[in-house]
Amino acid sequence: MKIFILIIGTRGDLEIFLTLGKKLRDRGHQIIVGTSSFYAPRVHNAQLPWIQIGNGSYEQLRSILESLSLVPDKLKRTHIY
């Protein structure tokens, strides 16, 4: 089976899905990971194929996450207004 894994988020999100991708690959599936360019080295280290999704920088991701940390209601952090 061909499987595309889209990873948008933090390094924690990335690591979980890289583990999933490696396990699926080991079971004979064809995996390709789509994520930001700043995660490409980690994807390559996991020996999974990679394509770039978006053109955001790590600094932009960090800025967004820092701004969301100011929202006290964790549920509201997941909504875009």
Side-chain angles (χ1 to χ4, degrees):
M1 181 183 301
K2 294 181 181 181
I3 300 171
F4 177 73
I5 300 175
L6 175 63
I7 307 170
I8 300 173
T10 65
R11 182 173 163 219
D13 300 316
L14 176 80
E15 297 297 335
I16 290 168
F17 284 107
L18 290 181
T19 300
L20 174 65
K22 290 187 288 186
K23 295 290 184 184
L24 290 169
R25 179 202 56 212
D26 293 348
R27 293 182 181 192
H29 300 287
Q30 293 178 315
I31 306 299
I32 189 160
V33 174
T35 192
S36 301
S37 61
F38 51 86
Y39 286 140
R42 291 191 176 278
V43 178
H44 289 297
N45 286 340
Q47 299 177 338
L48 293 169
W50 168 82
I51 62 169
Q52 182 173 339
I53 300 296
N55 59 0
S57 68
Y58 179 77
E59 290 74 24
Q60 289 171 317
L61 172 63
R62 187 175 173 152
S63 175
I64 291 167
L65 294 174
E66 286 175 355
S67 70
L68 289 173
S69 70
L70 301 174
V71 178
D73 183 338
K74 292 181 181 181
L75 181 61
K76 288 185 180 178
R77 292 181 195 177
T78 63
H79 294 87
I80 299 175
Y81 294 99

